Amino acid sequence: APAHSAYLAYLDASCATLLPVTPRPTSEAPGLEPHSLFAAPGMTWWQPDEPAIVATIRAAIAGQDEAIASPRERILREMTWERAARRLLAVLSEVEPPRAARSRWRPRRWNRRG
């Protein structure tokens, strides 16, 4: 898998062969049309390290690559709902306003009239 973006959220060297890439401006991307959505200023793409990828594929074909664990086991072990909830609470606590600045508004009770 390419060693960038979402792949790194669930893959690491224990369960995948991560292929090296380098972020580059899209203006350097071969074959990308200048008016393309992806050619906007400031956009990047991941340029693969082709010699490293060729060497990795050749090693795999020759049976010289290392045996690695299944990503499934890592995902089941590390990507639990409990961990996701803890991470969400941590992120939310970083953006939570200080207690003194919180609104004091409380919903009114319903008044059921006849």
Side-chain angles (χ1 to χ4, degrees), residues 6-7 10 19 35 38-39 44 49 53 56-57 63 76 80 84 89 91-92 105 110:
Y7 295 108
Y10 61 93
L19 304 171
H35 63 278
F38 300 105
T44 58
D49 181 339
I53 293 169
T56 300
I57 292 171
L76 290 174
T80 64
L89 290 173
V91 168
L92 292 175
W105 181 86
W110 279 23

Side-chain angles (χ1 to χ4, degrees), residues 4-5 21-30 32 37-47:
H4 68 77
S5 61
V21 294
T22 305
R24 298 276 189 220
T26 54
S27 60
E28 298 176 15
L32 188 64
L37 170 67
F38 300 105
M43 297 288 289
T44 58
W45 72 293
W46 300 94
Q47 180 179 0

